[in-house]
Amino acid sequence: MAESQVPIPEHKLLESPNSRTIEIFDWAITASTNPISNASECDSLQAMLGFPLPEMTFGNNFLTLEHKSSSWKYSFNAEGALKAVKNGELGPGDGGVKVGIYLFAESRTDPSSAFMMPETVVTKPYDWTYTTTYPGSLEPSNSSEETLSGGEEGPREFKWIAADPEDPSQKIPMAELTRPDPILFYAEIPLFEDELHDNGSSALLIRIRVMPGCLFILGRFTLRVDNVIFRQFDTRIYHSFRSSPPLIIRETSGWEAPYERVKRLLPMRDDLTPLTDPSFIAKALTEMPPRLSQGEGGKTGWRALGTRREITKLTS
């Protein structure tokens, strides 16, 4: 079947060794992918965050979107993602996950335990799974920082508000995204990955594609704790170049399920390979009844379960 004939708008592609940019309509979108951070960069970021970094931290990777006429600038980067990881004791709603070694260490530090560990082994608590509900962040834009002298206005504020569930223009049009439209720009930007001391995997990957009529971003955090739980947090951002005023739709969704529940969905019982595939995990979690994957979840009480949709309008 021939692809649909979609007019290609005027655009410009710029490339450097580690980054690519597309300029289209009133937008400049840049994706930068680099090697993992070096020791000095990791030391600096770890000192700022206050907890150990993931084994692979891509501290120089980023995705930025800038709308020139409104000065709206939005980005995804490793520092922002890791700032959203819980630093400190996990409480209700944080979705804490424990495996054998952590339960053992906790029992040794329990005052009632007959086998106390020395106080010197106690480390500062943090979420060792690196669970993050980072949806990207609004960045300051040089062009938006106007001086206040002479009656000029200060930097504009852009706020996310709840989308109207009855307004179809405030929903992401999945039918449009599944059309075979030409892809003018595509990038995958890893932000971090960790094997959780051989207990599973935790990773955050950002994808973007720009088509003639829209842009679409998927940020996906995937967690696998072997024999315990699967967890996923997605951020979807959609913008139609035809919207006026420019409208940004942001949808965030969280899913969880016990490890064994996902394992039962394997095509072949003895082949566990799909359990390491984020695409298989995503399909398994999103096709479960919502009362299980977004309600009951993995019985961790994680507050990010469910789906939330927000919008912001960009005005000049």
Side-chain angles (χ1 to χ4, degrees):
M1 182 182 294
E3 291 190 355
S4 57
Q5 297 298 311
V6 178
I8 305 299
E10 182 179 348
H11 63 284
K12 183 187 297 185
L13 293 172
L14 308 171
E15 294 195 22
S16 69
N18 295 316
S19 69
R20 299 173 59 240
T21 298
I22 183 170
E23 295 180 352
I24 183 169
F25 295 107
D26 211 14
W27 291 88
I29 301 166
T30 299
S32 181
T33 53
N34 302 270
I36 61 174
S37 298
N38 61 37
S40 176
E41 292 167 337
C42 286
D43 288 346
S44 177
L45 182 56
Q46 181 166 314
M48 187 267 290
L49 293 171
F51 57 80
L53 297 184
E55 293 164 333
M56 290 188 287
T57 298
F58 298 89
N60 297 308
N61 286 4
F62 63 84
L63 172 67
T64 61
L65 300 83
E66 184 165 12
H67 186 249
K68 297 175 184 177
S69 61
S70 69
S71 300
W72 186 81
K73 188 174 182 180
Y74 204 75
S75 73
F76 292 84
N77 56 70
E79 180 181 322
L82 291 171
K83 281 182 177 178
V85 172
K86 180 62 182 288
N87 185 13
E89 293 284 356
L90 274 64
D94 292 330
V97 179
K98 296 178 181 178
V99 294
I101 186 172
Y102 294 92
L103 292 172
F104 174 77
E106 186 177 73
S107 70
R108 286 296 194 92
T109 55
D110 186 333
S112 64
S113 173
F115 303 96
M116 290 293 291
M117 295 179 74
E119 290 187 6
T120 53
V121 304
V122 178
T123 59
K124 185 176 180 181
Y126 70 100
D127 186 350
W128 69 281
T129 69
Y130 297 106
T131 291
T132 179
T133 55
Y134 174 63
S137 53
L138 189 63
E139 299 288 338
S141 171
N142 292 334
S143 58
S144 70
E145 305 224 349
E146 304 166 354
T147 62
L148 295 176
S149 61
E152 294 184 40
E153 297 180 355
R156 286 184 288 275
E157 292 186 5
F158 299 94
K159 295 182 179 179
W160 295 100
I161 62 172
D164 180 354
E166 303 301 322
D167 186 345
S169 72
Q170 296 185 12
K171 296 179 181 179
I172 296 177
M174 300 310 295
E176 177 182 355
L177 295 177
T178 55
R179 287 194 321 233
D181 291 351
I183 296 177
L184 308 180
F185 182 86
Y186 178 82
E188 292 189 2
I189 307 102
L191 296 185
F192 68 77
E193 186 172 347
D194 192 277
E195 292 187 352
L196 306 179
H197 310 285
D198 294 325
N199 284 294
S201 176
S202 173
L204 177 59
L205 178 68
I206 312 298
R207 294 187 178 94
I208 180 170
R209 54 186 165 118
V210 179
M211 286 77 74
C214 66
L215 65 85
F216 178 67
I217 298 169
L218 172 60
R220 173 165 289 167
F221 168 78
T222 305
L223 172 68
R224 183 190 86 250
V225 180
D226 291 333
N227 301 309
V228 181
I229 200 170
F230 286 93
R231 175 181 290 165
Q232 180 176 300
F233 186 82
D234 283 358
T235 297
R236 290 175 167 82
I237 290 181
Y238 170 85
H239 167 66
S240 169
F241 297 131
R242 298 181 296 275
S243 59
S244 181
L247 177 71
I248 310 295
I249 303 172
R250 182 175 73 181
E251 184 178 280
T252 55
S253 303
W255 297 268
E256 271 186 352
Y259 185 92
E260 289 300 320
R261 181 171 285 158
V262 176
K263 186 178 177 181
R264 289 199 295 265
L265 301 175
L266 287 169
M268 300 174 62
R269 179 188 300 181
D270 296 329
D271 181 9
L272 303 183
T273 306
L275 298 180
T276 65
D277 179 3
S279 296
F280 175 83
I281 296 168
K283 187 174 188 295
L285 291 176
T286 58
E287 291 185 357
M288 284 183 189
R291 65 179 177 81
L292 297 179
S293 61
Q294 292 194 303
E296 179 181 313
K299 297 184 178 179
T300 65
W302 189 37
R303 65 171 62 88
L305 293 177
T307 296
R308 301 156 186 82
R309 189 178 302 114
E310 303 166 295
I311 63 165
T312 189
K313 295 182 180 180
L314 310 184
T315 56
S316 303

